[in-house]
Amino acid sequence: MSESVDAEASVLDRLRGRLEGPNTYGNSLPFWAVFAVVIAGLALYPQLVGVYTVIQTSRYFALAFLALSLSFIWGYAGILSFGQVAFFGVAAYTFGIIGLNFSSATEIMAALVGAILVGTVAAAIVGYFMFYGGVRDTYVTIMTLVIALVLNTFMAQTAGSEWAVGVAQLGGFNGMDIPSLTLGIGQSGFVLERAALYYALLAALVVTYLGLRVLVNSSFGLTMVAIREDEARTRTFGYDVPFVKLVVFTIGGALAAVGGVFYGSWGNYIDPTVFGIAFAALPVVWVSVGGRESLVGALGATVLIERMRTELSSGIGPIGSEWALVIVGGLLLGVILFMPAGVVPTADDLIARLRDRRTERGQSTNTPEEAIE
Amino acid sequence: MSTQDINVRQKPAVAATGGNTETLLATKALTKNFGGLTAVDSVDFSVTEGEIRCLIGPNGAGKSTLLELITGQLSPSEGDIYFDGEDLTGMETHNRIDTGLSVKFQSPHVYENLTVEENLQVPLQRTDRDTETVLAETLERIDLTEKADVRASELSHGEKQRLEIGMAVTLDPTLMLLDEPVAGMSVDETADVAELIRSLHDDGMTFLVVEHDMEFVRRISDQVTVLNQGEIFRQGPIEEIEADEAVRRIYLGENA
Amino acid sequence: MIEVAATPLQLSAPSLGALLFQFLNSFGFIILATVGLAIIFGMMGVINLAHGEFILIGVYGTALTYHAGVPLPLAMVAGVVVTTIFGVIVERTVVRHLYDRLLDSMVATWGLALVISQLLLIVFGSSLDSISTPMGSVSYGPFSSSIYRSIFLPIVAVAVLGGLYVLFTRTEFGVKARATIKDPETARAMGVDTDRMYVSTFAIGSALAGLTGALYAPALGSITPNRGSTFLVEAFVAVVVGGPSVIIGTLSASAVLSVFNATGSFFFGTFIGQMLLLLVAIVALRLLPDGITGYVKDWQQRRRAEQ
């Protein structure tokens, strides 16, 4: 082997070392092989299907940020928020408000940054009040849901013309127009829509997913998991638990905000139902079904469940669109009762057990050193 | 319940072992009330650098409460706590740990779903010590090298206790607080823990150990403080304490 | 409901009266919206996210029976019975498995909530005919208030809390229930059938939700499958602010919250009233993480210690 190949291999190894660890599922070469195939397949997807499917799939990708956001805070730090949609929606509205008032490409890019910032700061403020106020467990869950519901009430009554920021009408239940994301400088820009939006979302999602994998497998990730497992004990090792939780919640808010901007600009529209109880339930469904401790599970479940909802919206056989929410609710109920860890962790456990059974008995519990002896 | 003044409280003889050694931890008139119950009653107590100080006393004497006041999980009703020259009294728990304290609670509080090695990493990653070296050394010390990749939930009770002491040790504290480190352990396991404490002490670590097991206390201790009804009842070398009739009455008598 | 005059509000006797009625209206509403949720939370630690839908089942049970020709009071009884039976079924099939997984129980009951409200839509359509509010209204100056909402329901609400107080302090059931909550292990060792205590408590919580639904069936206006969430914000906020002690917590939280809610709604409209609720909840949580009753307990302890 030449030295350059060696060096290359060690860089790859180091990269894998960063991406892999006890806090993520899929720490093997086969996983990365499948991952590469899936990404390649998704990259080719727009060439294979109609524009309608591409646009729909972009929507699933935008929503997947919301799923990553919840999986990150709930699955890793044990903070169950029912209100991630609040930061999602606030960012979407903010993007619309800034984008409608300023329309050049540069300004829309600034709107993107501004909207993510506002969503993130909103999460930081809520997080500060909760975690420094000693608000725990169930109370966090309720508070976050109440915040979303109150935003729902608030936005729903902004139909009047006095509810405007500059030229942007909030529009109450009728919703608000939102410009498309545009990349560029000055007046001319490249508008992200259809396949371009699809690719932008795919790239952003892959980068975010890999980034989160690095983060949860880092020492910060171990801290999050320690807090999830035993908050009091972690404090007595000298950790500033409220601060860590605040940081986690803020990152979660930022992820939701990114999703919100993409979602708003995807449909060129946002309305108060993003703060409503039915929409707020969806991230919890995706993440519970996919497995809260599995980022890849949350991604997969989001795309599949939303795909199913899209299919159902035109009805499948005797099952009309009105059954979609019944199925989604039933799915959530069923998973919590019969598969509490969610699909990916349960499947991973099953595979590990099958593998153990195939190899010689007893070897599985030994340490590597012993196995070599 | 009100405390009865059967016994005259003894003013603590600071640094009973010798004149010049430095006081590491000191409480001044430390008091904690729970509702009507005074769990810790105006305690002046100190630990000298380099000693293994054992805190004994019957159930409900306030031992664990005193420990929780020192770590900051409880805040005192009155009084102050000084450690290494700093006033800890108003500090948050995590800041107190940073001053060089480390604690191991009575029942094992390990992270059940993490492996032994991850358990050790949680405290260790807060320090700037070399991870690989300290991990290997600590695993060796607590005799869990072979179980480094085993989930803590699969460990025996004694192994969990050792693991938790190991976790507390990785912080490299100046003062180690141990709450009943051998509770529920077999004779062999108890001997292992005593050995572990002695070896850490030889390396210069100071200990405050709350303990029930007099056999174990005799094995490790230089100095004993007897707590009774939230007050300091006696202090001194272990032989003296054991010979004290009054202590026998309130403490040993109860167990006999 | 109160019809506010178009002219700018002045603090005259009639407008103060209107404010008082608004307060009573809000007070009764928050107590009734909360009490079923608070019982289940306070006794079992479980937050029933389908609480709004439980109330809705009470509304539907009452409305459907009433529209079938049964007199309103009897129809209300039917609403309560239906909700109680439903609650017992839910406890036996779902909640029972989740007592040691509190966050999961919230998630599961949320799934249930989606299913219930959507099934109501599928089975009964987008709305039921509304029931006119009984007892008429009282007029004073430019205002008028519904007697049913602003006088009758607040009285019922306080009576319900009084009844619960008696149930939990003066009866054998209450003693057993409190023993179970305090320490299930010990209670079991002393021969209390804790399993039955949990079903009974959940049944009582469900019955109270059903009662709330039945009482508000003629006061909601339009009856639609999404009305469940009307009750949720108030109920959640009151539980959070009140803390774990059911009766005192519900009563004190309802009183505090309805002052803010009524004043806000009266002067600035419903949504400001609701925003104020949220603000109060956030501030309350910041100052009293264990709710009002948690604070009271702490304060009592400290006072006892000083004596």
Side-chain angles (χ1 to χ4, degrees):
Chain A
M1 235 188 263
S2 77
E3 270 179 29
S4 68
V5 173
D6 257 5
E8 224 167 83
S10 82
V11 168
L12 270 181
D13 278 352
R14 229 180 303 150
L15 191 65
R16 256 190 77 187
R18 282 290 191 83
L19 287 166
E20 296 187 352
N23 295 335
T24 46
Y25 289 89
N27 296 312
S28 62
L29 277 180
F31 171 84
W32 292 111
V34 172
F35 184 75
V37 169
V38 169
I39 300 301
L42 287 173
L44 286 173
Y45 196 58
Q47 316 303 320
L48 306 174
V49 297
V51 69
Y52 173 78
T53 309
V54 172
I55 291 173
Q56 282 303 322
T57 311
S58 307
R59 182 175 157 273
Y60 312 149
F61 287 171
L63 294 173
F65 280 96
L66 201 46
L68 285 179
S69 152
L70 182 62
S71 173
F72 181 69
I73 64 169
W74 182 24
Y76 291 93
I79 304 165
L80 175 52
S81 162
F82 280 177
Q84 290 310 93
V85 292
F87 314 119
F88 181 90
V90 162
Y93 269 102
T94 310
F95 179 69
I97 290 168
I98 305 178
L100 287 175
N101 282 297
F102 309 95
S103 52
S104 77
T106 319
E107 285 159 350
I108 288 195
M109 286 184 25
L112 166 74
V113 175
I116 294 170
L117 210 62
V118 168
T120 309
V121 168
I125 293 170
V126 171
Y128 169 77
F129 270 98
M130 291 194 305
F131 304 127
Y132 282 85
V135 178
R136 291 179 304 264
D137 314 327
T138 330
Y139 289 103
V140 167
T141 312
I142 299 177
M143 279 312 302
T144 48
L145 179 60
V146 167
I147 286 168
L149 294 181
V150 170
L151 281 172
N152 178 258
T153 317
F154 175 73
M155 291 314 299
Q157 55 82 53
T158 57
S161 57
E162 74 274 22
W163 290 101
V165 182
V167 298
Q169 291 285 337
L170 297 184
F173 264 126
N174 302 320
M176 187 176 81
D177 290 336
I178 288 185
S180 292
L181 267 174
T182 308
L183 298 180
I185 295 164
Q187 292 303 320
S188 62
F190 179 65
V191 180
L192 287 178
E193 46 189 11
R194 303 189 178 205
L197 181 60
Y198 175 95
Y199 283 117
L201 269 162
L202 181 61
L205 209 49
V206 170
V207 169
T208 308
Y209 169 69
L210 294 178
L212 284 177
R213 277 192 71 133
V214 171
L215 187 56
V216 299
N217 283 321
S218 70
S219 60
F220 185 74
L222 183 60
T223 307
M224 290 170 72
V225 170
I227 289 173
R228 177 191 76 199
E229 294 290 316
D230 193 336
E231 197 175 312
R233 188 60 179 119
T234 308
R235 193 174 304 123
T236 55
F237 286 129
Y239 286 97
D240 187 348
V241 172
F243 179 72
V244 176
K245 283 172 125 180
L246 173 60
V247 171
V248 169
F249 196 73
T250 307
I251 294 173
L255 290 169
V258 170
V261 172
F262 273 121
Y263 183 80
S265 69
W266 168 81
N268 294 128
Y269 174 80
I270 194 77
D271 71 26
T273 52
V274 289
F275 300 118
I277 193 156
F279 190 71
L282 289 174
V284 181
V285 179
W286 305 324
V287 171
S288 297
V289 172
R292 70 189 73 148
E293 292 176 26
S294 166
L295 296 166
V296 76
L299 288 178
T302 309
V303 172
L304 291 177
I305 291 173
E306 286 308 296
R307 176 74 198 256
M308 180 200 77
R309 292 210 313 137
T310 310
E311 297 290 330
L312 273 172
S313 65
S314 49
I316 301 175
I319 302 172
S321 63
E322 70 273 22
W323 287 92
L325 267 185
V326 177
I327 293 171
V328 166
L331 197 61
L332 183 57
L333 201 54
V335 164
I336 295 294
L337 286 177
F338 303 112
M339 202 193 280
V343 172
V344 169
T346 308
D348 186 80
D349 194 41
L350 213 65
I351 292 169
R353 252 188 258 173
L354 283 177
R355 200 182 294 144
D356 282 358
R357 201 173 299 171
R358 221 180 297 159
T359 53
E360 280 297 307
R361 227 179 255 168
Q363 205 173 315
S364 58
T365 53
N366 288 348
T367 58
E369 287 87 344
E370 280 176 323
I372 290 163
E373 288 166 24
Chain B
M1 213 203 292
S2 70
T3 41
Q4 293 167 295
D5 276 19
I6 319 170
N7 302 294
V8 179
R9 192 186 327 128
Q10 298 203 332
K11 286 292 165 217
V14 177
T17 36
N20 300 343
T21 36
E22 198 184 330
T23 299
L24 197 54
L25 176 88
T27 71
K28 299 271 183 272
L30 196 64
T31 303
K32 179 66 186 176
N33 302 311
F34 292 110
L37 178 79
T38 304
V40 171
D41 192 0
S42 192
V43 166
D44 294 319
F45 167 74
S46 62
V47 178
T48 310
E49 196 170 346
E51 71 173 346
I52 297 179
R53 160 106 16 211
C54 281
L55 195 58
I56 66 171
N59 281 321
K63 307 184 296 283
S64 293
T65 308
L66 183 58
L67 217 57
E68 286 179 15
L69 287 169
I70 296 170
T71 58
Q73 281 147 304
L74 295 173
S75 39
S77 309
E78 265 167 72
D80 298 298
I81 303 159
Y82 297 92
F83 175 68
D84 215 1
E86 274 189 85
D87 186 355
L88 296 187
T89 317
M91 262 190 219
E92 298 261 3
T93 298
H94 65 91
N95 291 329
R96 296 189 193 201
I97 302 301
D98 285 344
T99 63
L101 285 175
S102 189
V103 60
K104 184 228 160 291
F105 296 102
Q106 186 172 346
S107 54
H109 266 72
V110 296
Y111 302 105
E112 300 273 339
N113 289 320
L114 303 186
T115 64
V116 168
E117 192 177 307
E118 288 168 337
N119 265 283
L120 291 169
Q121 263 168 353
V122 171
L124 179 56
Q125 68 179 11
R126 289 209 61 255
T127 67
D128 43 19
R129 308 171 79 195
D130 180 63
T131 311
E132 297 295 319
T133 322
V134 178
L135 264 185
E137 189 189 287
T138 312
L139 282 169
E140 191 63 38
R141 202 154 218 172
I142 60 176
D143 199 16
L144 287 174
T145 309
E146 263 136 57
K147 299 207 167 178
D149 294 322
V150 173
R151 271 178 188 237
S153 55
E154 289 165 30
L155 298 180
S156 72
H157 177 75
E159 286 170 335
K160 281 184 192 172
Q161 295 275 37
R162 288 209 307 272
L163 172 58
E164 209 191 351
I165 294 177
M167 290 160 82
V169 167
T170 58
L171 284 177
D172 196 20
T174 325
L175 174 64
M176 174 76 91
L177 308 164
L178 300 175
D179 194 357
E180 299 200 22
V182 297
M185 278 193 174
S186 71
V187 176
D188 287 350
E189 288 170 336
T190 305
D192 288 346
V193 171
E195 182 58 36
L196 178 59
I197 292 175
R198 291 235 66 108
S199 91
L200 288 165
H201 180 243
D202 290 344
D203 292 353
M205 204 174 280
T206 310
F207 282 85
L208 171 58
V209 184
V210 168
E211 191 45 68
H212 245 12
D213 182 342
M214 281 308 282
E215 188 60 36
F216 178 71
V217 170
R218 216 173 296 130
R219 264 206 175 112
I220 60 168
S221 181
D222 303 322
Q223 292 295 321
V224 175
T225 299
V226 185
L227 214 60
N228 187 36
Q229 296 189 341
E231 300 183 6
I232 290 178
F233 185 69
R234 287 286 187 281
Q235 296 205 93
I238 175 91
E239 303 79 28
E240 242 172 63
I241 296 293
E242 279 194 301
D244 192 312
E245 272 305 312
V247 172
R248 279 178 174 279
R249 261 202 315 281
I250 63 139
Y251 179 65
L252 303 173
E254 188 196 56
N255 277 7
Chain C
M1 295 299 294
I2 292 163
E3 281 118 46
V4 179
T7 50
L9 286 162
Q10 294 157 342
L11 283 178
S12 55
S15 73
L16 277 179
L19 187 58
L20 175 69
F21 280 117
Q22 178 87 16
F23 165 76
L24 286 173
N25 183 346
S26 177
F27 181 61
F29 180 80
I30 295 177
I31 290 182
L32 287 170
T34 309
V35 67
L37 186 74
I39 288 259
I40 294 171
F41 175 62
M43 298 283 163
M44 298 143 87
V46 171
I47 288 279
N48 178 14
L49 252 287
H51 179 66
E53 278 65 29
F54 275 51
I55 293 178
L56 203 56
I57 289 174
V59 172
Y60 270 69
T62 306
L64 289 167
T65 324
Y66 175 74
H67 291 317
V70 176
L72 187 58
L74 278 183
M76 287 178 168
V77 172
V80 175
V81 170
V82 169
T83 316
T84 312
I85 292 170
F86 184 77
V88 170
I89 294 171
V90 168
E91 200 277 342
R92 291 286 83 181
T93 53
V94 179
V95 180
R96 186 162 76 101
H97 305 287
L98 302 174
Y99 282 134
D100 50 350
R101 289 154 50 196
L102 292 181
L103 290 182
D104 278 1
S105 69
M106 293 178 77
V107 174
T109 51
W110 203 356
L112 190 67
L114 293 179
V115 173
I116 296 172
S117 68
Q118 196 64 18
L119 279 179
L120 287 175
L121 175 71
I122 291 168
V123 177
F124 300 109
S126 59
S127 74
L128 294 185
D129 290 339
S130 59
I131 305 171
S132 57
T133 310
M135 297 183 188
S137 58
V138 53
S139 296
Y140 44 96
F143 304 102
S144 77
S145 298
S146 154
I147 295 176
Y148 183 74
R149 285 195 65 140
S150 297
I151 297 172
F152 177 70
L153 288 183
I155 293 172
V156 173
V158 173
V160 164
L161 287 184
L164 284 176
Y165 179 78
V166 172
L167 179 67
F168 279 104
T169 56
R170 301 285 155 82
T171 66
E172 197 192 329
F173 168 81
V175 173
K176 280 184 183 172
R178 282 187 301 156
T180 307
I181 296 139
K182 220 172 194 175
D183 186 352
E185 295 284 319
T186 313
R188 222 167 290 140
M190 290 168 72
V192 176
D193 185 347
T194 51
D195 196 48
R196 236 183 74 193
M197 282 298 127
Y198 286 136
V199 191
S200 315
T201 309
F202 204 85
I204 292 173
S206 309
L208 290 169
L211 178 68
T212 305
L215 291 169
Y216 278 91
L220 277 180
S222 65
I223 297 171
T224 60
N226 57 15
R227 285 314 287 266
S229 59
T230 340
F231 298 88
L232 272 193
V233 171
E234 277 81 356
F236 285 160
V237 169
V239 163
V240 166
V241 173
S245 170
V246 181
I247 294 157
I248 312 277
T250 306
L251 190 68
S252 53
S254 302
V256 170
L257 291 173
S258 47
V259 167
F260 285 95
N261 187 26
T263 320
S265 307
F266 186 73
F267 289 108
F268 309 105
T270 324
F271 92 94
I272 292 281
Q274 225 183 18
M275 295 293 280
L276 270 179
L277 277 190
L278 180 77
L279 277 180
V280 173
I282 289 176
V283 172
L285 272 183
R286 183 73 182 81
L287 301 177
L288 329 164
D290 286 318
I292 294 176
T293 51
Y295 177 78
V296 170
K297 219 172 256 168
D298 206 44
W299 180 78
Q300 281 173 337
Q301 273 185 355
R302 250 180 297 157
R303 220 178 56 140
R304 225 173 296 145
E306 277 160 22
Q307 281 165 0

